[in-house]
Amino acid sequence: MRELLLIFCVLWIKACSMPNGEPDADKGIPELVIYVENGMVPAMVDLVEIFESQYQTRVRIQNGDAFTLAGMVNRWEEGDLFIPDSHRGLQILHEKKLDAILDSLFLGYNQLAFYVSKGNPSDFEGTLNCLSNNRHMVILANPETSSLGYVTRQLLMNHNLFQNVSGNILALAIDNRRLTSAVINGDASVTIDWVSSYYRNSTKVYADTIHINGTTPGHEIYAAVLSTTNNAPLAYAFLALLSSEKGLGVLGYYGINKQRRINIADGAFFE
């Protein structure tokens, strides 16, 4: 059923984008508002560029941590799509506003990785146990504000390491933007961040990644259409792009794949 709806919306938007169907100047260019958690911003920026060119529209990205974004949706009661770093973000949104989600589309799995300064000057050994070693300065995302912090805490708890590591954490960052900057600036020697964040700004130039325990479980990512949308056909057309061959290719470039688990060799996952 969703596939048929996506096809209909794509055809409808394409018709409106043709020369005889362009919106009048008085009506302005149609706009989508998309709430994007920070780990998904690099991929979404590329996809938005494709979408705006294809459909002659404008897309406005509101980015931040999941808790803040969910609060914005609840308070403003406007916007078309919500794309968090993991399924936890949708749970946070649901807790804030029970009827916020109109529909959703599975995009793939996000992966976690260690981030260290370029060249790994602190000789971080690349295991979760090492996070409790006071030789390393650790900064992690706050589990109360972001999807990243929540799943990081769960990962440590699953390995019975949360209490030990907690005593060695310099700070809890509200979102992952502060994590990589702390590592790059030398304020911390190691953090855990999403694979999808690696290409954000200059991160690739100044930071290296180390896989976590060889094989790590993926975390589900969904794009949700909000009940507050004022342009549902356009919102579904964006979902259609995300599920297209081109969209999946962009997501795959940023490490988001449909496989549940991915084997990551040191240095091999990132080009």
Side-chain angles (χ1 to χ4, degrees), residues 111-173:
Q111 306 286 327
L112 295 174
F114 293 118
Y115 279 53
V116 296
S117 296
K118 203 71 175 178
N120 193 14
S122 67
D123 294 323
F124 179 70
E125 298 89 337
T127 67
L128 290 170
N129 285 318
C130 295
L131 292 175
S132 60
N133 188 330
N134 57 19
R135 185 166 63 86
H136 301 297
M137 299 182 294
V138 180
I139 184 171
L140 296 177
N142 191 330
E144 302 303 324
T145 60
S146 69
S147 294
L148 174 62
Y150 179 85
V151 300
T152 300
R153 179 174 63 183
Q154 290 301 114
L155 176 66
L156 294 173
M157 291 178 66
N158 290 343
H159 287 80
N160 297 315
L161 292 171
F162 182 70
Q163 293 300 326
N164 291 339
V165 173
S166 294
N168 198 39
I169 297 175
L170 295 175
L172 291 173

Side-chain angles (χ1 to χ4, degrees), residues 202-267:
S202 57
T203 300
K204 183 180 178 182
V205 177
Y206 298 107
D208 285 332
T209 58
I210 303 173
H211 68 272
I212 299 176
N213 294 342
T215 302
T216 58
H219 298 272
E220 295 179 349
I221 308 172
Y222 290 84
V225 177
L226 296 173
S227 59
T228 55
T229 181
N230 287 322
N231 200 331
L234 201 62
Y236 276 100
F238 192 80
L239 291 191
L241 172 63
L242 295 179
S243 60
S244 70
E245 183 177 352
K246 182 178 290 186
L248 293 174
V250 172
L251 292 172
Y253 176 82
Y254 289 97
I256 300 164
N257 296 276
K258 291 295 181 75
Q259 295 88 351
R260 174 64 176 168
R261 292 174 180 269
I262 298 177
N263 234 348
I264 306 176
D266 283 346

Side-chain angles (χ1 to χ4, degrees), residues 45 65 80 95-96 107 127 184 190 192 196 203 212 214 271:
V45 167
D65 61 90
D80 303 285
E95 291 166 3
K96 283 282 186 181
L107 301 183
T127 67
I184 290 171
V190 62
I192 294 177
S196 61
T203 300
I212 299 176
E271 298 178 356

Side-chain angles (χ1 to χ4, degrees), residues 44-113:
M44 288 305 121
V45 167
D46 284 3
L47 288 162
V48 162
E49 183 177 351
I50 295 170
F51 188 77
E52 288 181 329
S53 175
Q54 187 173 356
Y55 292 108
Q56 309 303 309
T57 187
R58 181 184 298 115
V59 178
R60 179 158 50 95
I61 292 178
Q62 296 279 3
N63 69 289
D65 61 90
F67 188 85
T68 298
L69 293 178
M72 292 165 66
V73 173
N74 182 46
R75 183 170 63 254
W76 295 348
E77 294 192 346
E78 65 177 21
D80 303 285
L81 292 156
F82 184 83
I83 307 176
D85 294 345
S86 75
H87 185 259
R88 173 57 184 163
L90 293 188
Q91 294 175 331
I92 292 173
L93 177 60
H94 181 71
E95 291 166 3
K96 283 282 186 181
K97 184 176 174 62
L98 291 178
D99 62 346
I101 300 171
L102 181 65
D103 204 350
S104 63
L105 175 71
F106 173 64
L107 301 183
Y109 295 96
N110 217 341
Q111 306 286 327
L112 295 174

